[in-house]
Amino acid sequence: MKNQRRIGELITICCGIGVAIGGLFVNVPPVVYGGLCIMGLGVISVFWR
């Protein structure tokens, strides 16, 4: 179960980075901020427990 949680956190961080980079390419700041928020949730989840 712990390994599945770590994999989920890694996926969340990577998806957040991907969304932020995608937002940079299409030049839409709210998408960039949304990607950074998603990444932040993954990082907070790593340190939560």
Side-chain angles (χ1 to χ4, degrees), residues 23-45:
L24 284 174
F25 280 127
V26 295
N27 200 19
V28 180
V31 175
V32 176
Y33 298 139
L36 292 175
C37 289
I38 294 169
M39 185 187 70
L41 287 173
V43 170
I44 288 172
S45 179

